[in-house]
């Protein structure tokens, strides 16, 4: 969410930021709605002041036995009461339009973010490792299927396209990767491990910016759960009771229906960032750093028709997420630190990568600056994104009402939030298969993962 005062103070700068995102000017529309909302706020304040004054004067008139004046004042109070609902309705209408407009506009790019409309304008910052050139290199799905441990057909029969079933050592490799990453980020870098909910309410996904604009990119629930009038009894008791009734009688015993509308998390960024939702933090406790390994669910995975084969774009995948909550003064430094933490995971796995700074037109909705880390995939012969580390500034904090107070300060300020992949587990598995593939079809396990694989040094066909 944007700072309305900042837009009032410098509408041209706001529109210039939107233009860098490839969007039309909106400051004029925002300020027009703001003026109308403030006008009715003033009308309400004036009406309430008049009502309070008239109510007080009624008592004074009655004390003087001035019945005529008291009657006139009472009529005035009734008239004001009649005007209040209309003014309140108009104020609400303009505020809702204003908030809806602000909620759909992305964060503004940081000044040092390069201009550009798409990924072609992204700028490479650095590289690590030499890209491997492997004669006859295969893609990960060819390797996994040949090993007999990566099954897309069975997954599709159960769940449809863009799902995978991993078995044997590849299933263990995914678990090993997640444990390796969690140990690295908690042990070496001081992140606090969290096991968060995978289902969240509207407010949580609004807070991090997925709602309302990207509702179609999410998986939601709308499940009806039925409870009988004997919910307090034991399962065995209910079973025996049900067996003694006809089917119709059992149905008649149903007295409560609970509807639950929740969202499956698209990334652990959502629950981890919302840990500080509607809280006032102590500046001395910042930064907060959280990490979690969770499944992630995204219905947009195949929207562009890209990567229809393999594990690059799935509706369900796992990721080790990094989230930081810090002060405005330290968020840029925290952003660099977070990116280096993600890079270190790739270094320890011996996977060549490059780090890119995204241009203004290629950043995510909530980001003010983003670094993408791209790993080398010999099977594809190119770099592919494996981590995206973003500084969101105070954008998410305003939506979540997350603030902090420095010692001695009366005023609170919005925190800055950051998030990044540390790393995407499935894509890291892909990178290992392609970078460590052997001519005989086996895959060498990176040295850092051998302890997590129970000493297994090579994955071979089962």
């Amino acid at each position: 969410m944007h700072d309305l005062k900042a837009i009032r103070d410098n509408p041209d700068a706001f529109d210039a930021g939107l233009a860098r995102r490839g969007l039309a000017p909106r400051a004029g529309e925002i300020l027009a709605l703001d003026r109308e909302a403030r006008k009715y706020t003033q009308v309400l304040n004036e009406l309430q002041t008049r009502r309070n004054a008239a109510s007080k004067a009624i008592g004074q008139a009655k004390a003087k036995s001035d019945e005529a004046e008291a009657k006139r004042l009472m009529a005035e109070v009734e008239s004001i009461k009649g005007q209040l609902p209309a003014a309140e309705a108009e104020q609400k209408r303009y505020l809702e339009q204003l908030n809806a407009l602000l909620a759909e506009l992305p964060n503004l790019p940081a000044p040092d973010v390069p201009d550009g409309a798409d990924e072609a304008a992204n700028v490479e910052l650095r590289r690590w490792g030499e890209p491997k050139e492997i004669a006859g290199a295969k893609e990960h799905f060819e390797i996994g299927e040949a090993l007999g441990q990566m099954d897309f057909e069975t997954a599709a029969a159960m769940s449809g396209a863009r799902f995978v079933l991993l078995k044997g050592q590849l299933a263990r490799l995914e678990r090993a990767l997640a444990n390796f990453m969690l140990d690295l980020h908690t042990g070496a870098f001081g992140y606090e491990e969290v096991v968060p909910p995978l289902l969240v309410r509207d407010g949580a996904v609004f807070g991090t910016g997925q709602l309302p604009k990207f509702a179609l990119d999410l998986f939601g629930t709308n499940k009806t759960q039925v409870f009988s009038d004997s919910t307090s009894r034991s399962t065995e008791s209910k079973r025996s009771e049900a067996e003694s009734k006809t089917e119709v009688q059992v149905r008649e015993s149903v007295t409560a229906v609970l509807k639950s509308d929740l969202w499956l998390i698209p990334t652990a960024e959502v629950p981890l960032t919302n840990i500080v939702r509607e809280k006032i933090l102590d500046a001395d406790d910042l930064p907060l750093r959280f990490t979690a390994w969770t499944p992630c669910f995204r219905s947009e995975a195949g929207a562009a028709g890209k990567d229809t084969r393999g594990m690059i774009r799935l509706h369900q995948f796992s990721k080790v997420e990094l989230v930081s909550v810090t002060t405005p003064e330290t968020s840029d430094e925290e952003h660099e630190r977070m990116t280096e933490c993600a890079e270190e995971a790739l270094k320890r796995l011996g996977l060549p990568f490059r780090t890119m700074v995204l241009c203004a037109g290629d950043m995510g909705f909530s980001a003010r600056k983003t670094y993408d880390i791209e790993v080398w995939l010999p099977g594809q012969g190119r770099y592919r994104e494996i981590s995206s580390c973003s500084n969101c500034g105070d954008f998410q904090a305003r939506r979540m009402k997350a603030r902090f107070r420095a010692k001695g300060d009366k005023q609170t300020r919005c925190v800055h939030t950051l998030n990044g992949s540390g790393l995407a587990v499935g894509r890291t598995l892909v990178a290992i298969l392609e970078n460590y593939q052997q001519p005989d079809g086996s895959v060498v396990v990176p040295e850092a993962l051998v302890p997590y694989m129970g000493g297994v040094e090579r994955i071979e066909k089962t």
Side-chain angles (χ1 to χ4, degrees):
M1 192 71 79
H2 293 282
D3 183 355
L4 190 53
K5 183 179 182 302
I7 300 174
R8 292 183 194 130
D9 292 344
N10 200 339
D12 290 341
F14 182 77
D15 282 342
L18 291 181
R20 296 185 65 202
R21 285 273 201 172
L23 300 175
R26 305 302 292 270
E29 184 180 355
I30 291 169
L31 295 179
L33 291 170
D34 178 47
R35 282 193 296 271
E36 290 300 313
R38 295 170 77 186
K39 179 179 78 175
Y40 281 102
T41 298
Q42 184 177 352
V43 168
L44 282 170
N45 289 338
E46 291 173 352
L47 288 173
Q48 289 164 353
T49 299
R50 285 173 52 199
R51 182 186 62 183
N52 293 339
S55 298
K56 183 177 180 181
I58 290 171
Q60 295 171 343
K62 287 184 176 181
K64 296 177 182 179
S65 300
D66 190 344
E67 294 299 325
E69 178 64 7
K71 189 174 182 179
R72 184 190 70 77
L73 289 168
M74 291 171 66
E76 183 179 351
V77 169
E78 287 302 312
S79 173
I80 292 171
K81 285 183 178 179
Q83 297 174 57
L84 283 171
E88 289 171 347
E90 286 298 292
Q91 180 202 42
K92 180 181 178 183
R93 182 166 71 89
Y94 284 111
L95 283 176
E96 286 178 346
Q97 291 180 36
L98 175 60
N99 289 331
L101 175 54
L102 289 172
E104 291 189 356
L105 295 176
N107 202 351
L108 302 184
D112 60 344
V113 167
D115 288 328
D118 54 38
E119 62 182 14
N122 296 342
V123 177
E124 182 176 323
L125 296 179
R126 54 185 172 266
R127 291 191 182 200
W128 183 90
E130 288 296 323
K132 296 181 180 180
E133 297 294 339
I134 301 174
K138 296 179 180 179
E139 293 197 50
H140 67 281
F141 51 84
E142 298 173 292
I143 300 166
E145 288 175 332
L147 288 169
Q149 300 173 41
M150 184 181 292
D151 189 342
F152 294 98
E153 290 187 7
T154 301
M158 288 188 279
S159 306
R162 296 192 182 275
F163 291 91
V164 67
L165 187 150
L166 298 178
K167 298 182 290 185
Q169 294 299 340
L170 287 191
R172 183 164 189 171
L173 179 59
E174 172 147 325
R175 175 161 52 92
L177 280 166
N179 287 330
F180 157 75
M181 293 173 194
L182 288 173
D183 285 350
L184 175 66
H185 296 309
T186 57
F189 302 128
Y191 285 85
E192 180 181 5
E193 185 173 353
V194 177
V195 178
L198 303 182
L199 290 164
V200 294
R201 293 175 173 173
D202 289 356
V205 274
F206 174 83
T208 46
Q210 285 81 13
L211 287 183
K213 193 174 180 66
F214 303 102
L216 295 179
D217 295 346
L218 305 174
F219 283 108
T221 68
N222 188 356
K223 183 176 181 181
T224 300
Q225 296 177 347
V226 181
F227 295 85
S228 75
D229 57 1
S230 56
T231 53
S232 62
R233 304 175 190 176
S234 70
T235 303
E236 290 300 320
S237 174
K238 285 189 288 185
R239 184 183 294 116
S240 61
E241 181 179 344
E243 288 173 350
S244 67
K245 297 181 178 181
T246 66
E247 184 178 353
V248 173
Q249 288 173 319
V250 171
R251 289 176 180 172
E252 289 176 348
S253 73
V254 173
T255 57
V257 175
L258 175 64
K259 291 183 178 179
S260 174
D261 293 303
L262 297 168
W263 301 96
L264 287 157
I265 62 168
T267 163
E269 169 202 346
V270 176
L272 292 183
T273 309
N274 274 274
I275 289 174
V276 299
R277 177 184 177 83
E278 296 180 356
K279 291 183 179 178
I280 299 177
L281 306 171
D282 190 328
D284 291 340
D285 295 332
L286 300 178
L288 300 176
R289 298 182 178 120
F290 305 117
T291 185
W293 170 38
T294 67
C296 305
F297 305 90
R298 296 185 186 176
S299 65
E300 54 75 38
K306 298 179 180 179
D307 301 302
T308 54
R309 289 202 67 188
M311 291 180 58
I312 295 294
R313 293 181 187 269
L314 298 176
H315 291 314
Q316 176 189 321
F317 56 97
S318 72
K319 186 150 65 83
V320 171
E321 186 74 5
L322 306 175
V323 162
S324 295
V325 179
T326 189
T327 63
E329 292 77 16
T330 59
S331 68
D332 288 341
E333 179 183 347
E334 185 70 16
H335 192 201
E336 301 296 329
R337 181 189 189 276
M338 175 181 285
T339 306
E340 290 169 4
C341 292
E343 290 176 341
E344 182 61 25
L346 288 170
K347 290 178 181 179
R348 296 196 183 194
L349 293 171
L351 295 172
F353 66 87
R354 66 180 185 180
T355 301
M356 314 285 290
V357 58
L358 301 194
C359 70
D362 197 34
M363 291 193 304
F365 181 81
S366 296
R368 71 187 299 267
K369 185 175 182 179
T370 297
Y371 293 126
D372 267 9
I373 305 172
E374 300 177 349
V375 69
W376 175 254
L377 298 182
Q380 295 190 23
R382 59 174 173 151
Y383 288 97
R384 298 300 303 268
E385 179 200 335
I386 196 168
S387 173
S388 188
C389 298
S390 297
N391 185 348
C392 298
D394 62 4
F395 185 81
Q396 293 177 328
R398 291 185 182 281
R399 298 167 79 98
M400 296 188 302
K401 297 180 174 61
R403 296 167 289 165
F404 76 99
R405 181 185 284 115
K407 185 178 294 184
D409 287 354
K410 294 182 179 179
Q411 298 295 321
T412 61
R413 291 191 291 158
C414 289
V415 298
H416 277 202
T417 61
L418 303 93
N419 64 80
S421 308
L423 306 155
V425 177
R427 290 196 178 191
T428 309
L429 185 148
V430 166
I432 288 172
L433 293 184
E434 295 200 13
N435 280 276
Y436 286 91
Q437 61 181 295
Q438 302 299 306
D440 63 358
S442 65
V443 177
V444 171
V445 175
E447 185 178 348
L449 294 180
V450 171
Y452 295 92
M453 292 290 291
V456 172
E457 297 180 347
R458 186 184 294 259
I459 297 174
E460 299 177 305
K461 184 175 182 178
T462 55

